[in-house]
Amino acid sequence: VLAGDPSLVDASAIGISEQADVMFVAVYNREGNVIVNRGNLYPPAKLPLDLMDQLAKSKEVVWKNVIIGGKAYYRFYGPVAIRTLGISGVGEVVGFTEVTLTTDRIYEQQGHILFAYFLISLVIFFVAGGFSVYLTRRITSSVDALIAGVRSITAGKFDEHITIKSPDEFGRLASAFNQMTKTLQEANERDKALSRMKSEFLSITAHQLRTPLSALKWVLGMTIEGDMGPLKVKQKELLEKLLQSLHIILGI
């Protein structure tokens, strides 16, 4: 570019123009006149002075969107600067470059990215939804099992056992519930055993007491009736009171 030799500049322009997205390449001298150009997207023209001043001062690439033939493109302008040996930084600007890129592949890649994003979002949605359903069913089944266990205890079924194999709060609650039902079952069995013992005790006691009391009742009855000989009035009254007490004891 510094020498203004089109044959040397054209070698770089050819390499750039062979890229799939590149539609136009042009290299300009410091006055803004075209040295070489590649591509027939539009005829090259002299660069505007304000653009050259901007590139010369900033020494940075600028770009803008352009519409050519109803189609969108990206157009980039860049300064060509030299470096002086021993001096750091960019030196004098001796020319300019222009590269115009098609947006087809960019939009195509954006479409692929959006499609991939959609698929990933869809997968995440279904995974999250499935996990939520799994958690809901797990919680619901645990609660239903606990409710069923409470209803069984209310109905007097103390041998009910809840099976919830999980290390969370529901698993610990089920373990505590099973321990409680076991304790209640043991207490219920002890109560039944005590009830049987009391019934047996009362039955035996009543039988053992009733036999001598019945004999005593029979003897008192015969004595009051005079079978054992005549009684004085006071004796008969006392024996009748004794017989009444005996009737009360037999009733008990």
Side-chain angles (χ1 to χ4, degrees):
V1 176
L2 182 63
D5 187 346
S7 62
L8 296 177
V9 178
D10 194 44
S12 297
I14 292 173
I16 296 174
S17 62
E18 288 177 350
Q19 303 299 317
D21 297 331
V22 176
M23 304 302 295
F24 181 81
V25 178
V27 181
Y28 303 86
N29 59 17
R30 70 179 67 206
E31 286 79 24
N33 297 317
V34 176
I35 300 176
V36 295
N37 68 280
R38 285 278 173 177
N40 55 3
L41 189 62
Y42 51 86
K46 186 173 181 177
L47 293 180
L49 289 176
D50 57 345
L51 177 60
M52 290 191 294
D53 290 340
Q54 180 183 357
L55 294 173
K57 291 178 181 179
S58 67
K59 295 182 176 63
E60 294 179 353
V61 175
V62 297
W63 68 280
K64 59 182 178 179
N65 291 320
V66 294
I67 304 297
I68 302 174
K71 194 172 181 181
Y73 296 89
Y74 290 130
R75 182 179 293 171
F76 295 85
Y77 294 98
V80 179
I82 60 174
R83 287 183 183 275
T84 304
L85 186 63
I87 299 177
S88 61
V90 180
E92 180 186 1
V93 174
V94 295
F96 308 93
T97 59
E98 176 186 346
V99 179
T100 301
L101 305 179
T102 177
T103 59
D104 292 343
R105 279 214 314 163
I106 295 175
Y107 290 149
E108 181 181 353
Q109 291 175 358
Q110 287 179 346
H112 292 162
I113 293 173
L114 290 176
F115 182 70
Y117 177 77
F118 171 76
L119 288 181
I120 293 173
S121 301
L122 197 63
V123 171
I124 292 175
F125 171 78
F126 280 109
V127 170
F131 188 66
S132 299
V133 171
Y134 166 75
L135 286 180
T136 302
R137 289 182 177 178
R138 181 176 177 181
I139 293 173
T140 303
S141 61
S142 300
V143 172
D144 290 342
L146 291 171
I147 292 175
V150 172
R151 288 176 176 172
S152 298
I153 290 180
T154 305
K157 299 177 181 178
F158 299 109
D159 57 347
E160 184 71 17
H161 183 80
I162 298 178
T163 303
I164 301 178
K165 296 181 179 179
S166 60
D168 56 9
E169 289 78 6
F170 287 105
R172 292 193 289 271
L173 185 58
S175 178
F177 180 88
N178 292 332
Q179 185 63 36
M180 179 188 67
T181 55
K182 182 179 179 181
T183 303
L184 289 175
Q185 185 177 6
E186 293 174 352
N188 185 54
E189 291 175 353
R190 286 196 300 269
D191 291 342
K192 289 181 179 179
L194 288 173
S195 179
R196 287 194 301 269
M197 292 173 62
K198 287 189 292 183
S199 299
E200 292 173 359
F201 172 78
L202 292 175
S203 177
I204 294 172
T205 302
H207 176 72
Q208 295 299 326
L209 290 177
R210 183 177 293 274
T211 300
L213 289 175
S214 297
L216 182 58
K217 173 186 174 182
W218 177 71
V219 171
L220 283 174
M222 291 177 62
T223 303
I224 293 172
E225 292 295 330
D227 293 342
M228 304 300 176
L231 296 173
K232 295 179 180 180
V233 175
K234 191 65 175 177
Q235 291 175 335
K236 188 175 182 180
E237 290 177 356
L238 290 175
L239 290 176
E240 286 177 350
K241 289 182 179 179
L242 179 61
L243 185 60
Q244 291 176 359
S245 299
L246 186 60
H247 278 294
I248 294 174
I249 295 176
L250 285 172
I252 294 175

